[in-house]
Amino acid sequence: MTYQSDEWEQRYRKNPNYRNHWPYQEVVAFLARSISEFQIKPKLLEVGCGSGNNLLAADALGYDCHGIDASETIVRYALNFLEKKNIQANLKPAEF
């Protein structure tokens, strides 16, 4: 683990409330505008996916969702959060 990923890991472990459950409006607007450009179901990779909040909106818009985050804790949380919403996403912890 690098210093930066360790910092995020500690942040998510120490504060369970440090999670965003709502997608960012700017991200949703961009995804909604962009999806019409694709002829097939587009894949989306969110780098630094956090709690999966933006992937929630991306799935609703029709994207095939993937995400990576430096924190294993938040990846586990995001998978659980999305599973409860019946959303399948491919999420992995990763260094970046």
Side-chain angles (χ1 to χ4, degrees), residues 1 4-13 19 49-50 68-77 92-96:
M1 229 183 236
Q4 189 174 19
S5 62
D6 189 48
E7 182 180 327
W8 280 106
E9 184 65 33
Q10 293 306 315
R11 188 174 296 177
Y12 286 123
R13 281 186 185 179
R19 284 137 175 77
C49 63
I68 59 172
D69 200 283
S71 168
E72 290 182 36
T73 297
I74 202 65
V75 167
R76 282 193 304 274
Y77 177 87
K92 305 263 187 241
E95 297 286 329
F96 52 92

